[in-house]
Amino acid sequence: MQEEKILLSSPHMGTEEIKNIQEAFATNWVAPVGPFINQFEKNLSEYTQVKHAAVVNSGTAAIHLALRILEVGPDDVVLCQSFTFIGSSNPVTYQNAVPVFIDSEKETWNMCPEALETAIKYHLNKGKTPKAIIVVHLYGVPAKMKEITAIADRYEIPIIEDAAEALGSTIDGKACGSFGKFGILSFNGNKIITTSGGGALLSNDENAITQARFLATQAKDTAPHYEHSILGYNYRMSNISAAIGVGQLQVLKDRVKARRENHDFYKKIFGGVEGVEFLKEPQGFYSNRWLSCILIDQPKNPNLSPEPFRKHLERNNIESRPLWKPMHMQPLYKDALYFGGKVSEQLFQKGLCLPSGSNLTSDEKERIKKSIHSFLSK
Ligand SMILES: *Cc1c(COP(=O)(O)O)cnc(C)c1O
């Protein structure tokens, strides 16, 4: 009998989610408005300590709304982290603006402050002030926000903080998503908590969040009929999704704990293995360890290379995946400007994400361990 597939990161429901859905049905709030939406927004705002939150139907939509509110338009430059999921940067293209990609630094794998400043100066010299910076906290490890915020403030460029993978992560106790002008979250099915699909826009600017809600509702003006003066979108979250979200947020702490335990589990397995590295947490940084990733230094360990290792796991019905392929290497963005060196390219070549769900059972972990050991002992 084929054993069941062990997934990279699958949904993990608590006990309240289904009760909340039943309540939504019982009260017939099966719509993109309703009490769970208000509740979820309030709880997210309390959790992140950002004054206002608007939930939407994806993290990508939240980034798009942030760009609209910052009035990013045709030919405007937006500085984006190259090493990320494409949902970070595609909204720039939706606005017919120009994404310019920035390399990562080695310590957190996120936006390199020096490369960021170089890119800003390059554009200022051409008389073009970048309209926004989109920084990402990849795999749950916070970016160097102190350095990045100092640069952004110096040149007065607003930050959109993509915390899609980093709900539960902090720097000196302050939540990821609370550092920028805007923070965005994702509740896609593979994230640390999920609403099946969804996202949120966070900001301390009340007007901005009011405007986001307006744009997410087809920019419908106040009138008895349907009146529209500007372009909007249908980006609202369903009350059913929000009902799931309210339950999921209650168990976030447990989910972070379980994912951090996964990370320790892998650190133990690879403890004595030459050439295998993990992402460390710099002083004061706390990661939700959304995905556990390893970097394989091939010259140090010629028997261990990412792709044969991935295939070996796959034969054992265990899912693993290369790290994000940088945006400046994507065919879609081949003509985009890029600032930095080879850090993100090398991460892509050397890295692998391992199964990291908070719902991994001890039997599954045993299977993973055996499979890794059998590859290492070859
Ligand atoms: C998941 C993710 C997004 C987009 O979220 P969706 O809800 O899938 O649209 C954006 N950025 C990063 C880094 C992500 O991992």
Side-chain angles (χ1 to χ4, degrees):
M1 196 189 82
Q2 174 79 328
E3 288 169 301
E4 235 182 284
K5 182 155 189 167
I6 299 176
L7 298 170
L8 205 63
S9 178
S10 68
H12 184 185
M13 292 297 116
T15 53
E16 298 305 300
E17 292 83 340
I18 189 75
K19 290 185 200 162
N20 292 348
I21 291 176
Q22 277 161 347
E23 185 181 326
F25 270 66
T27 52
N28 206 28
W29 283 109
V30 185
V33 286
F36 280 113
I37 292 177
N38 306 337
Q39 186 69 48
F40 192 29
E41 289 180 339
K42 188 166 160 277
N43 295 357
L44 283 170
S45 156
E46 271 169 20
Y47 182 85
T48 56
Q49 292 288 300
V50 180
K51 287 201 188 105
H52 306 281
V55 292
V56 289
N57 58 12
S58 75
T60 308
I63 297 176
H64 192 193
L65 291 172
L67 293 171
R68 267 294 300 266
I69 295 160
L70 294 172
E71 295 180 346
V72 171
D75 301 324
D76 284 336
V77 166
V78 177
L79 304 173
C80 302
Q81 184 165 321
S82 186
F83 189 51
T84 186
F85 171 62
I86 201 157
S88 283
S89 28
N90 272 350
V92 176
T93 308
Y94 299 166
Q95 284 305 103
N96 292 315
V98 183
V100 169
F101 295 108
I102 313 290
D103 199 6
S104 294
E105 36 80 17
K106 284 181 178 166
E107 206 178 2
T108 73
W109 300 359
N110 292 309
M111 188 179 272
C112 170
E114 285 81 37
L116 171 67
E117 188 156 25
T118 307
I120 293 172
K121 284 182 177 159
Y122 171 92
H123 285 96
L124 290 179
N125 274 338
K126 300 204 146 197
K128 200 153 180 85
T129 309
K131 271 296 210 31
I133 296 166
I134 304 179
V135 58
V136 192
H137 308 293
L138 229 47
Y139 304 115
V141 177
K144 294 195 170 173
M145 290 313 293
K146 199 173 136 214
E147 290 83 347
I148 291 168
T149 306
I151 294 167
D153 287 351
R154 195 175 321 138
Y155 297 98
E156 296 178 21
I157 305 171
I159 292 178
I160 300 170
E161 215 189 323
D162 179 348
E165 302 179 2
L167 184 58
S169 301
T170 57
I171 303 175
D172 296 328
K174 191 169 150 57
C176 283
S178 72
F179 292 87
K181 161 86 188 177
F182 291 101
I184 81 100
L185 302 171
S186 168
F187 310 110
N188 188 41
N190 61 346
K191 298 301 193 309
I192 192 154
I193 63 168
T194 181
T195 60
S196 76
L201 184 67
L202 309 169
S203 181
N204 287 316
D205 178 346
E206 184 172 12
N207 286 336
I209 295 297
T210 303
Q211 204 192 341
R213 291 204 179 96
F214 171 70
L215 290 171
T217 319
Q218 301 286 21
K220 182 183 172 294
D221 295 331
T222 320
H225 58 276
Y226 281 82
E227 179 87 5
H228 305 272
S229 333
I230 64 167
L231 181 66
Y233 317 93
N234 180 6
Y235 278 172
R236 285 180 303 172
M237 179 182 272
S238 157
N239 189 57
I240 303 293
S241 299
I244 302 173
V246 167
Q248 285 272 278
L249 199 55
Q250 287 172 352
V251 291
L252 174 61
K253 223 175 140 194
D254 301 331
R255 301 300 180 256
V256 173
K257 186 166 171 279
R259 294 208 183 228
R260 287 180 64 88
E261 282 168 8
N262 291 337
H263 194 261
D264 292 340
F265 162 76
Y266 288 116
K267 273 209 322 223
K268 227 179 246 164
I269 294 182
F270 288 102
V273 181
E274 188 75 19
V276 176
E277 274 176 58
F278 288 85
L279 247 180
K280 294 185 194 74
E281 286 167 316
Q283 183 71 33
F285 284 42
Y286 184 82
S287 169
N288 68 9
R289 295 296 188 194
W290 173 57
L291 293 185
S292 289
C293 313
I294 55 168
L295 276 191
I296 300 169
D297 193 353
Q298 266 246 280
K300 281 195 192 150
N301 196 334
N303 296 325
L304 185 62
S305 52
E307 190 51 17
F309 182 38
R310 191 191 68 77
K311 283 195 178 129
H312 166 85
L313 293 170
E314 193 171 69
R315 279 193 296 276
N316 289 306
N317 224 7
I318 297 167
E319 185 180 32
S320 66
R321 193 178 298 156
L323 303 189
W324 299 122
K325 181 173 181 174
M327 291 306 116
H328 71 277
M329 296 170 75
Q330 298 286 355
L332 176 64
Y333 289 123
K334 66 180 189 309
D335 298 327
L337 268 180
Y338 171 72
F339 289 84
K342 300 257 175 224
V343 175
S344 59
E345 290 177 30
Q346 282 175 5
L347 290 168
F348 172 59
Q349 279 157 12
K350 301 202 302 193
L352 203 64
C353 306
L354 300 167
S356 304
S358 49
N359 50 3
L360 284 177
T361 64
S362 48
D363 282 355
E364 287 175 323
K365 283 192 180 174
E366 203 48 43
R367 266 178 62 197
I368 294 169
K369 193 164 142 184
K370 266 196 191 144
S371 177
I372 295 174
H373 279 153
S374 77
F375 187 81
L376 292 176
S377 62
K378 265 201 293 203

